[in-house]
């Protein structure tokens, strides 16, 4: 979970890419498998299903992940129903963000009743998932300074009352507007992750729905270890492939290597909506060199995941996680 004070202050919804512009981007985008549409709140866009369709039809995206705060219950469920119905061969994962037990969640969001709405969205989406095997659900929990001591209580509640397919623990990073959330304890992260691993993830079903489930599960386990190592040591642990394997397009069409770096690689609006013009340009080349030479590091879970998958030096550690997964899976079947 990222906090960006500077981008929040400079945001302007009127500059957001239109559906027509997104269509142009997808037509010129090289094929890729996994797309994450984040925010803000992605479901504020009534054309979200059509945006997904652009990248499915034109860029061959096979898996689409969308986080949500769960507040706009009916809109979230309607758009999700449209997506999973229109594209039955595409796997959609919806992650509902929960920040703590009910009262704390509402305090952090600043919206009374937001916890109940998020849980309501979960139950309605779960009913939808019963009819559509291409829909996966999970709770995304961002550990921050406000909730780091309350997460075990939240984990227990979610597993007892909701029995989700998966719970994902994230580490707050960046600078938030009021400086209340980032700077969370890496030791608490380790404790909360160990609790989650011991009491919750043995029942984890989320990755059982995806191809190569054992590998994906193992990558997730190793990614948490790497996140902790980076947070604990505050130094480089493994090479970052941002601007090589993965990148970011913001709501205005500006391209970045990742959310944590401020250097803009270019504007799609100024590049005839052709992502390759930017990705192969001189600015992007300099960014890759800077990332490599500076041994850039952070706790960004998405990018750490890519850094594991595409780094052969990580495969031995990944193999050990895979052995643990298979042991736990076999034990669960017994």
């Amino acid at each position: 979970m990222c906090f960006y004070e500077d981008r929040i202050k400079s945001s302007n919804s009127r500059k957001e890419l239109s559906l027509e512009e997104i269509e142009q981007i997808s037509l010129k985008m090289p094929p890729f498998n996994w797309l994450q549409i984040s925010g803000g709140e992605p479901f504020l866009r009534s054309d979200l299903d059509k945006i997904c369709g652009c990248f499915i039809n034109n860029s061959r995206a096979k898996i689409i992940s969308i986080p949500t705060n769960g507040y706009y219950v009916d809109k979230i469920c309607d758009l999700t129903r449209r997506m999973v119905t229109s594209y039955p061969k595409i796997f959609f994962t919806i992650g509902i963000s929960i920040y703590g037990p009910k009262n704390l969640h509402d305090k952090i969001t600043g919206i009374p009743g937001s916890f109940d709405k998020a849980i309501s969205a979960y139950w309605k989406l779960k009913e939808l998932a019963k009819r559509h095997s291409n829909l996966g659900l999970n709770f995304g929990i961002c550990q921050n300074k406000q909730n780091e001591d309350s997460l075990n209580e939240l984990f227990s509640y979610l597993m007892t009352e909701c029995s989700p397919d998966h719970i994902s623990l994230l580490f707050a990073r960046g600078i938030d507007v009021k400086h209340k959330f980032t700077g969370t304890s890496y030791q608490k992260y380790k404790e909360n992750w160990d609790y989650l691993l011991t009491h919750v993830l043995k029942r984890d079903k989320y990755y059982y729905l995806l191809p190569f489930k054992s590998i994906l599960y193992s990558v997730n386990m190793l990614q948490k270890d790497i996140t902790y190592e980076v947070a604990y040591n505050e130094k480089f642990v493994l090479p970052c492939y941002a601007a090589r394997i993965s990148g970011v397009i913001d709501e205005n069409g500006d391209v970045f290597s990742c959310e944590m770096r401020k250097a803009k690689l270019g504007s799609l609006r100024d590049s005839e909506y052709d992502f390759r013009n930017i990705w192969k340009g001189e600015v992007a080349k300099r960014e890759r060199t800077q990332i490599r030479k500076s041994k850039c590091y952070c706790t960004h879970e998405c990018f750490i995941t890519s850094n594991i998958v595409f780094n052969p030096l990580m495969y031995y550690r990944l193999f050990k996680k895979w052995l643990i997964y298979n042991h736990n899976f076999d034990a669960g079947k017994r």
Side-chain angles (χ1 to χ4, degrees):
M1 183 67 70
C2 303
F3 293 93
Y4 306 114
E5 181 176 7
D6 53 345
R7 294 197 190 174
I8 291 172
K9 289 180 178 179
S10 63
S11 64
N12 186 340
S13 61
R14 290 176 294 181
K15 295 181 180 179
E16 285 188 9
L17 292 166
S18 67
L19 179 62
E20 291 73 21
E21 289 178 302
I22 293 171
E23 175 81 16
Q24 288 298 312
I25 293 168
S26 68
L27 285 167
K28 298 178 181 180
M29 180 77 72
F32 60 89
N33 290 319
W34 199 312
L35 171 69
Q36 175 157 322
I37 302 176
S38 59
E41 172 51 52
F43 285 94
L44 285 175
R45 290 201 58 147
S46 299
D47 57 358
L48 182 59
D49 58 322
K50 296 182 176 63
I51 292 173
C52 292
C54 290
F55 291 103
I56 293 168
N57 296 325
N58 301 326
S59 307
R60 304 180 198 172
K62 298 294 188 295
I63 299 174
I64 297 180
S65 302
I66 308 174
T68 176
N69 60 27
Y71 190 78
Y72 299 97
V73 178
D74 292 337
K75 190 173 185 179
I76 291 167
C77 295
D78 181 58
L79 282 167
T80 302
R81 178 187 54 77
R82 282 192 250 165
M83 289 186 286
V84 297
T85 302
S86 300
Y87 305 102
K89 294 184 179 181
I90 306 302
F91 193 83
F92 294 88
T93 67
I94 307 298
I96 299 176
S97 298
I98 300 289
Y99 298 108
K102 181 176 178 177
N103 291 338
L104 180 58
H105 176 93
D106 288 0
K107 178 183 177 181
I108 289 174
T109 62
I111 305 174
S114 58
F115 180 89
D116 290 337
K117 282 184 175 291
I119 298 300
S120 176
Y122 167 79
W123 283 115
K124 289 191 175 184
L125 288 171
K126 191 161 188 174
E127 286 300 312
L128 186 64
K130 291 178 181 178
R131 303 191 299 274
H132 298 276
S133 61
N134 61 326
L135 174 60
L137 299 177
N138 69 88
F139 285 110
I141 300 171
C142 174
Q143 178 182 306
N144 58 69
K145 283 197 297 186
Q146 299 294 308
N147 68 8
E148 61 185 16
D149 294 318
S150 305
L151 294 187
N152 288 356
E153 177 187 348
L154 177 62
F155 296 153
S156 297
Y157 170 85
L158 293 176
M159 291 309 300
T160 302
E161 300 297 326
C162 301
S163 188
D165 291 340
H166 180 66
I167 294 177
S168 179
L169 178 64
L170 310 173
F171 192 85
R173 55 189 172 268
I175 301 175
D176 59 282
V177 175
K178 296 184 179 180
H179 307 282
K180 289 183 177 180
F181 303 108
T182 50
T184 185
S185 164
Y186 60 79
Q187 188 58 45
K188 283 290 184 181
Y189 178 81
K190 180 69 163 57
E191 292 173 6
N192 287 325
W193 172 244
D194 287 344
Y195 180 92
L196 188 63
L197 188 62
T198 302
H199 295 86
V200 176
L201 294 187
K202 286 185 177 180
R203 299 167 54 186
D204 200 316
K205 297 175 287 184
Y206 175 65
Y207 288 101
Y208 298 172
L209 302 174
L210 292 170
F212 310 109
K213 60 190 178 185
S214 64
I215 297 175
L216 291 169
Y217 186 94
S218 304
V219 168
N220 184 53
M221 297 299 104
L222 181 54
Q223 175 256 305
K224 297 304 183 207
D225 288 352
I226 299 294
T227 300
Y228 172 73
E229 289 173 27
V230 172
Y232 178 79
N233 294 298
E234 294 187 356
K235 67 178 183 179
F236 174 88
V237 173
L238 76 168
C240 180
Y241 297 143
R244 297 177 186 272
I245 300 299
S246 49
V248 174
I249 301 174
D250 75 6
E251 72 279 7
N252 303 321
D254 293 333
V255 178
F256 298 84
S257 57
C258 84
E259 293 100 328
M260 301 296 290
R261 295 180 65 86
K262 294 184 178 181
K264 185 171 75 172
L265 306 186
S267 167
L268 286 165
R269 284 174 167 151
D270 297 334
S271 304
E272 299 180 338
Y273 301 103
D274 193 334
F275 181 82
R276 288 169 293 191
N277 287 342
I278 297 173
W279 208 241
K280 295 180 180 180
E282 290 302 317
V283 176
K285 290 178 182 178
R286 288 196 299 270
E287 176 76 347
R288 293 184 195 108
T289 299
Q290 174 63 22
I291 290 172
R292 177 175 55 82
K293 287 187 174 181
S294 67
K295 294 187 175 181
C296 188
Y297 66 90
C298 70
T299 59
H300 195 308
E301 290 88 357
C302 296
F303 285 85
I304 289 176
T305 298
S306 297
N307 298 340
I308 292 170
V309 172
F310 293 95
N311 186 343
L313 295 178
M314 289 286 106
Y315 291 174
Y316 176 68
R317 292 181 65 178
L318 186 59
F319 177 68
K320 291 197 294 183
K321 293 294 182 183
W322 180 81
L323 291 176
I324 294 172
Y325 165 85
N326 280 280
H327 172 77
N328 289 343
F329 183 68
D330 290 340
K333 289 193 295 185
R334 292 195 295 270

